[in-house]
Amino acid sequence: MKKVRIGMIGSGYIGRCHAIAYAQAATVFALKGEIVREMLAEVNPQLAQEKAQAFGFTRATGDWRELVSDPQIDVVDICAPNFLHKEMALEAIRHGKHVYSEKPLALSVADAEAMTRAAQQAGVKTLVGFNYMKNPTSQLAKEIIARGEIGKVVHFYGTHNEDYLANPATPRDWHCQQALAGLGALGDLAAHIVNMAHYLVGGITEVSGDMQTVITERPDPQALDRLLPVENEDQASALLRFSNGAHGVIETSRIACGSKMGLTYVVTGTKGTLRYTQERMAELALYLHDDEAGRQGFKTILTGPAHPDYANFCVSAGHGIGFNDQKTVEIRDLINGVAADDPMWPDFAEGLQVSKVLEAIAVSAKERRWINV
Amino acid sequence: MKKVRIGMIGSGYIGRCHAIAYAQAATVFALKGEIVREMLAEVNPQLAQEKAQAFGFTRATGDWRELVSDPQIDVVDICAPNFLHKEMALEAIRHGKHVYSEKPLALSVADAEAMTRAAQQAGVKTLVGFNYMKNPTSQLAKEIIARGEIGKVVHFYGTHNEDYLANPATPRDWHCQQALAGLGALGDLAAHIVNMAHYLVGGITEVSGDMQTVITERPDPQALDRLLPVENEDQASALLRFSNGAHGVIETSRIACGSKMGLTYVVTGTKGTLRYTQERMAELALYLHDDEAGRQGFKTILTGPAHPDYANFCVSAGHGIGFNDQKTVEIRDLINGVAADDPMWPDFAEGLQVSKVLEAIAVSAKERRWINV
Amino acid sequence: MKKVRIGMIGSGYIGRCHAIAYAQAATVFALKGEIVREMLAEVNPQLAQEKAQAFGFTRATGDWRELVSDPQIDVVDICAPNFLHKEMALEAIRHGKHVYSEKPLALSVADAEAMTRAAQQAGVKTLVGFNYMKNPTSQLAKEIIARGEIGKVVHFYGTHNEDYLANPATPRDWHCQQALAGLGALGDLAAHIVNMAHYLVGGITEVSGDMQTVITERPDPQALDRLLPVENEDQASALLRFSNGAHGVIETSRIACGSKMGLTYVVTGTKGTLRYTQERMAELALYLHDDEAGRQGFKTILTGPAHPDYANFCVSAGHGIGFNDQKTVEIRDLINGVAADDPMWPDFAEGLQVSKVLEAIAVSAKERRWINV
Amino acid sequence: MKKVRIGMIGSGYIGRCHAIAYAQAATVFALKGEIVREMLAEVNPQLAQEKAQAFGFTRATGDWRELVSDPQIDVVDICAPNFLHKEMALEAIRHGKHVYSEKPLALSVADAEAMTRAAQQAGVKTLVGFNYMKNPTSQLAKEIIARGEIGKVVHFYGTHNEDYLANPATPRDWHCQQALAGLGALGDLAAHIVNMAHYLVGGITEVSGDMQTVITERPDPQALDRLLPVENEDQASALLRFSNGAHGVIETSRIACGSKMGLTYVVTGTKGTLRYTQERMAELALYLHDDEAGRQGFKTILTGPAHPDYANFCVSAGHGIGFNDQKTVEIRDLINGVAADDPMWPDFAEGLQVSKVLEAIAVSAKERRWINV
């Protein structure tokens, strides 16, 4: 079986998630290629070595450039901070590597375009880590919509709200700095819900956005009694128009007290409605307008082996899969895409399209007018 | 005890609700005035007589003008179709009656302004039937916000969605005709959620709206094989800015499959969040950010005697009050307002303010730009 | 229309509920008789007079014997403390009155038998206030079961849990005294869930029970530093066998922290399952095993005009009816039963049957063996 | 680091779960020993070889006796059918292996006693696969109870309901045969909830049980038009008494339509209550009676890094762990127990205690009397 040799850059929050997914993927799925955890890069050799061992990678390096140019690497997996995505991806592409990047693809549309163009010209494969759409429950939502079970989609409401910055005493970190993060909640969180809207409904053509930095200053992590400016938005909302005529709204916040994993959506069609929240990731609520009078209602479907990809984890319904399992589905797509040329999506082109929507919202919010995406 | 003699115009959907509330109000509350169900007007004398008997009114008339000019009437209660509110209210005011009108106050801001001005000049008292804010659960939400328990409000998301026109085969009725209804879902449904936003958060200063008529033609009720145009919006959404700096979104739809009583809100503050849906009208979910680590979460408060007005219905928590009970609270406000000059809100000025917001959304949607309210 | 003249004894917790229901019933329903709130009895003339006025009764008395013998009374409505039910009912029956009694019918099976026999011999009509089964949602449950939609019932789990005595510092009151209350949680609460089991599933033939007084002493309300014994059970559970072969369990507690109106049931059939909790009294969850694979799940049905009795309160689904509205349905049954000989259930025979089940559980718990009901 | 060499017998439903957990455990946790997937046994060499490759085991065998006697094996992991547990475990113990067995430990108390005694005499370590208690959410429940946050436990209600045999057309398989399965729903499902009751509340001393085979015959899988007898119970219930004075009830069913993973519990204490269902395995509902009046309610805690073991999977709250992740926690306990002598529980002694409770329920149901465990 063809080997797919992974070079992973970064081992923090999402790197850990990738590592767990690499570890279990071959047991969960009958993959079309063999995962080889070849090399891990971190900011210094010691950390790299330590994490390589913890995460089951053979080699380690303190220099990501060494990794992207290594001839034994087939796929560069970028789990590094967002502001580095562009440079790393371009270097990896220059060396002919397939690139698997965490979201957001880049800090700006211009950067995302450069990355997408470079990948297309080099003929390498790309994948962006919008893992929530890989959850069997959201795959089920897609299936229900695609089969027309809820009719023609007329409305989408989606959020990605969390509260990791709800406390004003939380020191400023990279999330709040434009040079490191680009957009605020839009870039960090809303990227997921825009991708989900694309996946479930289709292209977004126009937006009218609004956004706000609620907590305008935060303590300097080096000197907590000194305040530093917050440079991007804490919350944002946008009216949407989709290419297929549907209307919609998305909202995002990083100060939404109580929302821990607040990716939610309501998709309304002419014949029914779907409701979902990622905090109950095993449940999809489905309403069908043509149900018999007196027996109408939202039905809570527990994801199970009748739904996409679930049975690989467990053959009993309702037993539940977790956050890292979504990433495992994504890595299945990566391996089968690279080893057997299976379709791989969301690719850089989708990552770019998400960036365009997010940037359009930000521009719209500043200029206070509708913007075409 | 001072008598408060009611003349009610209209006995349909909401008239029935008023009638039930009048019937029980004096048993539920120790009122400051005596409710006298004096006269009921309907479109003809026979129907008026029949409904007067069913609803416990002493006299009946087939001519509403007779009612509004009757010297034995203190309060004119308008449950007639929306397009008649203005004329009826102005006539009632001209005869010095207090006016209790169902929402929406009028079909246009101009009409609502005329009514509000007339009432102010005549010195009569006014009340508009935004009954959902009278639910003890939403009164509790108000109390929690007013006491600062969730900090400063930074975001409001509200909906009033129903699905009574989700079926395209439903014939066109007055809801879909501008001359009879004015706005569509905005006027019929969103009036409630705008009032709720005012009640819970404060004044709305700017809006960017969008709206859509999804089902553009419906069968003629007189000849089902002929189609008639739908003249107003099925769904609408708007970005909001509040005078206190909070941002927000409201949405409304009359084709939202599965939403039977979809008045919902999420109020996010700097220290906590409230979540509510009218379909579970006895429950308010409260999250407090300062709860101990590991013990944070949304707490489902079941309304009970510790909350406003509930104990008048039942002294045990969680036993539940219903739709008509909200109206009973409203009628308590009416009677105490008229008999003892207690404050009475939402009055015509609030009804006008709601109209201004709704009209601003409609204008914004047509002109595709932000509008100051 | 035939007058039905009510004499109500007691005006406390449940008396207030009856009064509200009497006030609204004729507006909600097209009754077959005219409700006349004729006389109210309380422990002294002053209280009786005050409550008669508040609740809309014409006459008042400080002596219930005067009420039960008054020739102008058709129905004696007993809202007095439980230990008085027997004497009052027997006296009322002796004077040929129809009797409407709150639950529990009596403190013992022997008393309930005497009352039931007396009523049968006198040919008067009887009704017991098990109002929860009058909720349209539970009527819907009954309809679903009766139509065979969930197949043959194989299991029933029901609770009636509350927490009104969860705090050990709450002084001892009549609930805790055998002479005044008879059984504890079984008599006060479980009576409802046993009636519901009868209504939804059928007769109970055998029980194995267990029970416990958890808080064995409580403060004397007259001298809080002195403790008095609690004389009946705080919690109880029982295995059940039904005459139709189904098995089941019921549980009850008055110290179940957090249960405010914890009447709940799960009815499992060979083809589906129903789930209900009174705290969400507008919702019934229905699972049908024959739903298509991949689209199975519990459907949350919001009660509406397609369901029994709901449309009399409101013609829109999901708008919600409350605790007192259930009692209003019950009073509709009372008036139509007395005025037009409509069937009236649950009658004293059912009240007796509930007592037999409760007493069997108590005996079973003491003797630690199965008991035939 | 000390190697822990695993020999796994069986690769079906639960074997797959073990395999996934072995694959990810070292990435998720910093283990105290190195997992070596040494050998896999199946019913024939071909299947064994195929599954060994799929699950990452080095060697394969068609004869489990070869595995248990192999000197390169430290731990024998028994995922074989229940009726083989005893023989395999005894053989493994005879060869000095540590034994990790799936539940139920054995088909009878006598067998479980023999196994437990043999393990104790041989001084080998044992672990039984009651994985649900390893979920961070149930660990949180344990923590809350242990800290006294809900006071003294006074009541436990637990279920383990599923519906895998709800359809009478499902052919008879080993689940329904005494020689292969022993008890029915009690053995297959209730074992988990009895273990959970032990974990959360403590020892069970007396039971009064009832049970029923609802579908008494099922199609022969070899000839579907022929019916074979079902030899054990479809559903069972029992009253419980705990050694610490609490009362309780457990129920189990394999025909509970709609229950996909119906392990649920409600633990009531003198100061609060916990509610849990495995179908929402990330949520624990906590009610505290001493919360301020008007602010009481069940709080839904989403499991996160503030709770036991969660942060190893993800450092953000509410992101969710799955069924296999529970098993991964269990395998962490296995490896650390074997490699570093960390405490390992639930061991065979607990498996035996669970068997005693289940057998007592079955005997009680047959003899229709209370049984001491």
Side-chain angles (χ1 to χ4, degrees):
Chain A
M1 196 160 57
K2 187 170 174 181
K3 287 181 195 303
V4 179
R5 296 163 301 182
I6 308 292
M8 185 167 94
I9 311 176
S11 65
Y13 180 107
I14 200 66
R16 170 177 206 78
C17 171
H18 282 229
I20 294 171
Y22 284 126
Q24 72 168 353
T27 308
V28 173
F29 292 105
L31 299 173
K32 299 178 180 174
E34 181 191 344
I35 298 176
V36 178
R37 284 173 276 178
E38 184 65 30
M39 189 187 284
L40 186 149
E42 254 298 348
V43 289
N44 63 57
Q46 292 72 24
L47 183 61
Q49 187 54 45
E50 177 194 315
K51 291 293 184 176
Q53 190 164 357
F55 292 171
F57 282 76
T58 307
R59 293 187 287 150
T61 176
D63 177 8
W64 64 264
R65 290 173 188 279
E66 189 184 329
L67 182 149
V68 300
S69 61
D70 189 288
Q72 304 288 81
I73 298 290
D74 300 308
V75 173
V76 172
D77 175 1
I78 304 176
C79 296
N82 300 345
F83 75 96
L84 294 168
H85 288 187
K86 179 193 177 188
E87 189 181 6
M88 288 171 173
L90 290 178
E91 274 298 288
I93 292 165
R94 203 168 63 81
H95 287 91
K97 310 301 186 192
H98 305 296
V99 185
Y100 171 30
S101 173
E102 267 305 315
K103 45 59 55 183
L105 184 52
L107 301 195
S108 71
V109 167
D111 287 359
E113 265 170 349
M115 294 159 78
T116 305
R117 198 165 46 236
Q120 281 164 348
Q121 287 170 352
V124 300
K125 290 177 168 291
T126 58
L127 185 67
V128 183
F130 292 119
N131 44 77
Y132 298 109
M133 58 164 284
K134 303 298 184 184
N135 183 5
T137 314
S138 284
Q139 292 191 60
L140 169 61
K142 171 72 173 175
E143 175 187 298
I144 287 171
I145 294 166
R147 289 188 186 169
E149 297 179 33
I150 61 165
K152 182 180 177 305
V153 172
V154 300
H155 192 271
F156 177 85
Y157 177 70
T159 67
H160 194 138
N161 292 337
E162 300 196 7
D163 67 359
Y164 60 83
L165 287 176
N167 189 342
T170 302
R172 192 183 80 162
D173 69 0
W174 65 269
H175 289 95
C176 304
Q177 294 172 264
Q178 280 201 344
L180 301 181
L183 293 168
L186 282 168
D188 190 41
L189 302 178
H192 286 297
I193 192 64
V194 170
N195 166 253
M196 191 68 82
H198 286 162
Y199 176 59
L200 296 178
V201 183
I204 294 165
T205 55
E206 295 171 90
V207 302
S208 173
D210 202 9
M211 64 187 192
Q212 189 178 28
T213 307
V214 172
I215 300 167
T216 55
E217 294 180 316
R218 289 184 177 276
D220 182 342
Q222 261 73 53
L224 292 176
D225 55 346
R226 193 173 55 176
L227 293 174
L228 296 173
V230 172
E231 298 169 2
N232 49 26
E233 76 287 353
D234 288 324
Q235 61 181 11
S237 308
L239 308 177
L240 309 177
R241 292 223 178 153
F242 289 88
S243 58
N244 59 11
H247 282 206
V249 168
I250 59 164
E251 300 204 81
T252 191
S253 172
R254 60 191 183 190
I255 58 163
C257 292
S259 286
K260 302 305 174 186
M261 213 302 111
L263 184 152
T264 72
Y265 53 79
V266 181
V267 186
T268 308
T270 50
K271 294 168 59 182
T273 295
L274 293 172
R275 291 180 182 164
Y276 176 74
T277 171
Q278 188 71 27
E279 290 180 355
R280 288 179 174 167
M281 61 184 282
E283 298 181 14
L284 185 68
L286 168 63
Y287 179 91
L288 294 177
H289 203 66
D290 293 339
D291 278 356
E292 183 194 355
R295 299 293 181 274
Q296 297 177 327
F298 277 92
K299 185 189 284 183
T300 302
I301 302 172
L302 279 175
T303 322
H307 307 124
D309 287 332
Y310 180 95
N312 293 282
F313 294 93
C314 178
V315 297
S316 293
H319 281 50
I321 74 169
F323 176 68
N324 297 321
D325 296 331
Q326 300 174 147
K327 193 56 89 177
T328 305
V329 177
E330 188 174 283
I331 277 170
R332 186 269 322 268
D333 292 349
L334 173 73
I335 300 302
N336 290 357
V338 168
D341 211 27
D342 282 8
M344 227 159 88
W345 199 84
D347 57 8
F348 276 18
E350 164 62 3
L352 167 60
Q353 200 56 32
V354 169
S355 288
K356 284 182 177 171
V357 172
L358 298 174
E359 196 161 294
I361 292 171
V363 170
S364 168
K366 274 175 205 141
E367 304 186 355
R368 295 175 70 68
R369 62 183 184 88
W370 282 84
I371 298 283
N372 292 323
V373 177
Chain B
M1 196 159 57
K2 187 170 174 182
K3 287 181 195 305
V4 180
R5 296 163 302 180
I6 308 292
M8 184 166 93
I9 311 176
S11 66
Y13 180 108
I14 201 67
R16 171 177 205 77
C17 171
H18 283 228
I20 293 171
Y22 285 125
Q24 71 169 352
T27 308
V28 173
F29 291 105
L31 300 174
K32 299 179 180 174
E34 180 190 347
I35 299 176
V36 178
R37 285 174 275 178
E38 183 66 29
M39 189 186 284
L40 185 149
E42 253 299 347
V43 289
N44 62 59
Q46 292 71 25
L47 183 61
Q49 187 55 46
E50 178 193 317
K51 290 293 185 176
Q53 190 163 358
F55 293 170
F57 282 76
T58 306
R59 292 187 288 152
T61 174
D63 177 6
W64 65 263
R65 290 174 189 278
E66 189 184 330
L67 183 149
V68 300
S69 61
D70 189 287
Q72 304 289 80
I73 297 290
D74 300 307
V75 174
V76 172
D77 176 0
I78 305 175
C79 297
N82 300 345
F83 75 97
L84 293 169
H85 288 188
K86 179 193 177 188
E87 189 181 6
M88 289 171 172
L90 290 178
E91 274 298 288
I93 292 165
R94 203 167 63 82
H95 287 90
K97 310 301 187 194
H98 305 297
V99 186
Y100 170 31
S101 174
E102 266 306 313
K103 45 57 57 182
L105 184 52
L107 300 195
S108 70
V109 167
D111 287 358
E113 264 170 351
M115 294 159 77
T116 305
R117 199 166 44 235
Q120 281 164 347
Q121 288 169 352
V124 301
K125 290 177 168 290
T126 58
L127 184 67
V128 184
F130 293 120
N131 44 77
Y132 298 108
M133 59 164 283
K134 304 297 184 184
N135 183 5
T137 313
S138 285
Q139 292 191 58
L140 170 62
K142 171 72 173 174
E143 175 187 297
I144 287 171
I145 294 167
R147 289 187 185 170
E149 297 180 33
I150 61 165
K152 181 179 177 307
V153 173
V154 299
H155 191 272
F156 177 85
Y157 176 70
T159 67
H160 194 138
N161 292 338
E162 301 196 6
D163 67 359
Y164 59 83
L165 286 175
N167 189 343
T170 302
R172 192 182 79 162
D173 70 0
W174 65 269
H175 290 94
C176 304
Q177 294 172 263
Q178 279 201 345
L180 301 181
L183 294 168
L186 281 169
D188 191 40
L189 302 178
H192 286 297
I193 192 64
V194 170
N195 165 252
M196 192 67 83
H198 285 161
Y199 177 57
L200 296 178
V201 183
I204 294 165
T205 55
E206 294 171 90
V207 302
S208 172
D210 202 8
M211 64 188 192
Q212 190 179 29
T213 307
V214 172
I215 300 166
T216 55
E217 294 179 317
R218 290 183 176 276
D220 182 340
Q222 260 73 53
L224 292 176
D225 55 346
R226 193 173 54 176
L227 292 174
L228 297 173
V230 172
E231 298 169 1
N232 49 27
E233 77 288 352
D234 288 323
Q235 61 182 10
S237 307
L239 307 177
L240 309 178
R241 292 223 178 152
F242 289 87
S243 58
N244 59 11
H247 283 206
V249 169
I250 59 164
E251 301 203 81
T252 191
S253 173
R254 60 192 184 190
I255 59 163
C257 292
S259 286
K260 302 304 174 187
M261 212 304 109
L263 184 151
T264 74
Y265 53 79
V266 181
V267 186
T268 308
T270 50
K271 294 168 60 182
T273 295
L274 293 171
R275 292 180 182 164
Y276 175 75
T277 171
Q278 188 71 26
E279 290 180 355
R280 287 180 175 166
M281 62 184 281
E283 299 181 14
L284 184 68
L286 168 64
Y287 180 91
L288 295 177
H289 204 66
D290 292 339
D291 279 356
E292 183 193 357
R295 298 295 180 273
Q296 297 178 328
F298 276 92
K299 185 189 284 184
T300 301
I301 302 172
L302 279 174
T303 320
H307 306 126
D309 287 333
Y310 179 96
N312 293 283
F313 294 92
C314 178
V315 296
S316 294
H319 281 50
I321 73 169
F323 175 69
N324 297 322
D325 296 331
Q326 299 174 146
K327 194 56 89 178
T328 304
V329 176
E330 189 174 284
I331 277 170
R332 186 267 324 266
D333 292 350
L334 174 73
I335 301 303
N336 289 357
V338 168
D341 211 26
D342 281 8
M344 226 159 88
W345 199 85
D347 56 10
F348 275 19
E350 164 62 4
L352 166 60
Q353 200 56 30
V354 169
S355 287
K356 284 182 177 172
V357 172
L358 297 174
E359 197 160 294
I361 292 171
V363 171
S364 168
K366 273 175 205 140
E367 303 185 355
R368 294 176 70 68
R369 61 182 183 89
W370 283 84
I371 297 282
N372 292 324
V373 177
Chain C
M1 196 159 54
K2 187 171 172 181
K3 287 182 195 303
V4 179
R5 297 163 300 180
I6 308 292
M8 185 167 93
I9 311 176
S11 65
Y13 181 109
I14 200 67
R16 172 176 204 79
C17 172
H18 282 228
I20 294 171
Y22 284 125
Q24 73 169 350
T27 308
V28 173
F29 292 104
L31 299 174
K32 299 179 180 174
E34 181 191 345
I35 298 176
V36 178
R37 285 174 275 177
E38 183 64 29
M39 190 188 284
L40 186 148
E42 255 298 348
V43 289
N44 62 58
Q46 292 71 25
L47 183 61
Q49 186 55 45
E50 178 193 316
K51 290 294 184 175
Q53 190 163 357
F55 292 170
F57 282 76
T58 307
R59 293 188 287 151
T61 175
D63 177 7
W64 65 263
R65 290 173 189 277
E66 188 183 331
L67 183 148
V68 300
S69 61
D70 189 289
Q72 304 287 79
I73 297 290
D74 301 307
V75 173
V76 172
D77 175 359
I78 305 175
C79 297
N82 300 345
F83 75 97
L84 293 168
H85 288 188
K86 180 192 175 188
E87 188 181 6
M88 289 171 172
L90 290 179
E91 275 298 289
I93 291 165
R94 202 168 64 84
H95 286 93
K97 311 302 188 192
H98 305 296
V99 185
Y100 171 30
S101 172
E102 267 304 316
K103 46 56 59 182
L105 184 52
L107 301 196
S108 71
V109 168
D111 286 359
E113 264 170 351
M115 294 159 77
T116 304
R117 199 167 44 236
Q120 281 164 349
Q121 288 170 352
V124 301
K125 289 177 169 289
T126 57
L127 185 67
V128 183
F130 293 119
N131 45 76
Y132 297 109
M133 58 164 282
K134 304 298 184 183
N135 182 5
T137 314
S138 285
Q139 291 191 59
L140 169 61
K142 171 71 174 174
E143 175 187 298
I144 287 171
I145 294 167
R147 289 186 185 171
E149 298 180 33
I150 61 165
K152 182 180 175 306
V153 173
V154 299
H155 192 271
F156 177 85
Y157 177 70
T159 67
H160 193 138
N161 292 337
E162 301 197 6
D163 67 359
Y164 59 84
L165 286 176
N167 189 343
T170 302
R172 192 182 79 161
D173 69 359
W174 65 269
H175 290 94
C176 304
Q177 294 172 263
Q178 279 201 347
L180 301 181
L183 293 168
L186 282 169
D188 191 41
L189 302 177
H192 286 298
I193 192 62
V194 170
N195 166 253
M196 191 67 83
H198 286 161
Y199 177 58
L200 297 178
V201 183
I204 294 165
T205 55
E206 294 171 88
V207 302
S208 172
D210 202 8
M211 63 187 194
Q212 189 179 28
T213 307
V214 171
I215 300 166
T216 54
E217 294 180 315
R218 291 184 175 276
D220 182 341
Q222 260 72 53
L224 292 176
D225 54 348
R226 193 173 56 175
L227 293 174
L228 297 173
V230 172
E231 298 169 2
N232 49 27
E233 75 288 353
D234 287 323
Q235 61 182 10
S237 307
L239 308 177
L240 309 177
R241 292 223 177 153
F242 289 87
S243 58
N244 59 11
H247 283 205
V249 168
I250 59 164
E251 300 203 82
T252 192
S253 173
R254 60 192 183 190
I255 57 163
C257 292
S259 286
K260 302 303 176 189
M261 212 303 110
L263 184 151
T264 73
Y265 52 80
V266 181
V267 186
T268 308
T270 50
K271 295 168 60 183
T273 296
L274 292 171
R275 291 180 182 164
Y276 176 74
T277 171
Q278 189 70 27
E279 290 180 355
R280 288 180 174 167
M281 61 184 283
E283 299 181 15
L284 184 69
L286 168 63
Y287 179 92
L288 294 177
H289 203 66
D290 292 340
D291 279 357
E292 182 193 357
R295 299 294 180 275
Q296 297 177 327
F298 277 91
K299 185 190 284 184
T300 302
I301 302 172
L302 279 174
T303 321
H307 305 125
D309 287 332
Y310 180 96
N312 293 283
F313 294 92
C314 178
V315 297
S316 294
H319 281 49
I321 73 168
F323 176 69
N324 296 321
D325 296 331
Q326 299 174 147
K327 194 55 89 178
T328 304
V329 176
E330 188 174 283
I331 277 171
R332 185 268 323 267
D333 291 349
L334 173 73
I335 300 303
N336 290 358
V338 169
D341 211 26
D342 282 8
M344 226 160 89
W345 198 85
D347 56 10
F348 276 18
E350 164 63 4
L352 166 60
Q353 200 56 31
V354 168
S355 288
K356 283 182 178 172
V357 172
L358 298 174
E359 197 160 294
I361 292 171
V363 170
S364 168
K366 273 173 204 143
E367 303 186 355
R368 294 177 69 68
R369 61 182 184 89
W370 283 85
I371 298 282
N372 291 325
V373 177
Chain D
M1 196 159 56
K2 186 169 173 182
K3 288 183 195 304
V4 179
R5 296 164 302 180
I6 308 291
M8 184 165 94
I9 311 177
S11 65
Y13 181 107
I14 200 67
R16 172 179 203 77
C17 172
H18 283 227
I20 293 171
Y22 285 125
Q24 72 169 350
T27 307
V28 172
F29 291 104
L31 299 174
K32 300 179 179 173
E34 182 190 343
I35 298 176
V36 178
R37 284 174 275 178
E38 184 64 30
M39 190 187 284
L40 185 149
E42 254 299 349
V43 289
N44 62 59
Q46 292 71 26
L47 183 61
Q49 186 54 46
E50 179 193 314
K51 290 294 183 175
Q53 191 164 356
F55 292 170
F57 283 75
T58 306
R59 292 187 287 152
T61 175
D63 177 7
W64 65 265
R65 289 174 190 278
E66 191 184 329
L67 183 148
V68 300
S69 61
D70 190 289
Q72 304 288 80
I73 298 291
D74 300 308
V75 173
V76 172
D77 175 1
I78 305 175
C79 297
N82 300 345
F83 75 97
L84 293 168
H85 289 188
K86 180 194 176 187
E87 189 180 5
M88 288 172 172
L90 291 179
E91 274 297 289
I93 292 165
R94 202 168 63 83
H95 288 91
K97 310 301 187 193
H98 305 296
V99 185
Y100 170 30
S101 173
E102 267 305 316
K103 46 53 63 182
L105 184 52
L107 300 195
S108 70
V109 167
D111 286 358
E113 264 170 352
M115 293 160 77
T116 305
R117 200 167 42 237
Q120 281 163 348
Q121 287 170 352
V124 301
K125 291 178 166 287
T126 57
L127 185 67
V128 183
F130 293 119
N131 44 75
Y132 298 108
M133 58 164 283
K134 305 297 183 184
N135 182 5
T137 314
S138 284
Q139 291 191 59
L140 169 62
K142 171 72 174 174
E143 175 186 297
I144 286 170
I145 294 167
R147 289 188 185 169
E149 298 180 32
I150 60 166
K152 182 178 175 308
V153 172
V154 299
H155 192 270
F156 177 86
Y157 176 70
T159 67
H160 194 138
N161 292 337
E162 301 197 6
D163 67 359
Y164 59 83
L165 287 176
N167 189 343
T170 301
R172 193 183 79 161
D173 69 0
W174 66 269
H175 290 94
C176 304
Q177 294 172 263
Q178 279 200 346
L180 301 181
L183 293 167
L186 282 169
D188 192 40
L189 303 178
H192 287 297
I193 192 63
V194 170
N195 165 252
M196 191 67 83
H198 285 162
Y199 176 58
L200 297 177
V201 183
I204 294 165
T205 55
E206 295 171 89
V207 302
S208 172
D210 202 10
M211 64 187 192
Q212 189 179 29
T213 306
V214 172
I215 300 166
T216 54
E217 294 180 315
R218 291 184 176 275
D220 182 341
Q222 259 72 52
L224 292 175
D225 55 346
R226 193 173 55 176
L227 293 173
L228 296 173
V230 172
E231 298 170 1
N232 49 28
E233 77 288 354
D234 288 324
Q235 61 182 9
S237 308
L239 308 177
L240 309 178
R241 292 227 179 149
F242 289 88
S243 59
N244 59 11
H247 283 206
V249 169
I250 60 165
E251 301 203 81
T252 191
S253 173
R254 60 193 184 190
I255 58 163
C257 292
S259 286
K260 302 305 175 188
M261 212 305 110
L263 184 152
T264 73
Y265 52 79
V266 180
V267 186
T268 308
T270 49
K271 293 167 60 181
T273 296
L274 293 171
R275 291 180 181 165
Y276 175 75
T277 170
Q278 188 71 25
E279 290 180 355
R280 288 180 175 166
M281 62 183 281
E283 298 182 14
L284 184 68
L286 168 63
Y287 180 91
L288 294 177
H289 203 66
D290 293 339
D291 279 357
E292 182 192 358
R295 298 294 180 274
Q296 296 177 328
F298 276 92
K299 186 190 282 184
T300 302
I301 302 172
L302 279 175
T303 321
H307 306 125
D309 288 331
Y310 180 95
N312 293 282
F313 294 92
C314 179
V315 296
S316 294
H319 281 49
I321 74 168
F323 175 69
N324 297 320
D325 296 331
Q326 299 174 148
K327 194 56 90 179
T328 304
V329 176
E330 188 174 283
I331 277 170
R332 186 268 321 268
D333 291 350
L334 174 74
I335 301 303
N336 289 358
V338 169
D341 211 26
D342 281 9
M344 227 159 89
W345 198 85
D347 56 10
F348 275 19
E350 164 63 5
L352 166 60
Q353 199 56 30
V354 169
S355 288
K356 284 182 177 171
V357 172
L358 298 175
E359 198 161 291
I361 292 171
V363 171
S364 168
K366 274 174 205 142
E367 303 185 355
R368 294 177 70 69
R369 61 181 183 91
W370 283 84
I371 297 282
N372 292 324
V373 177

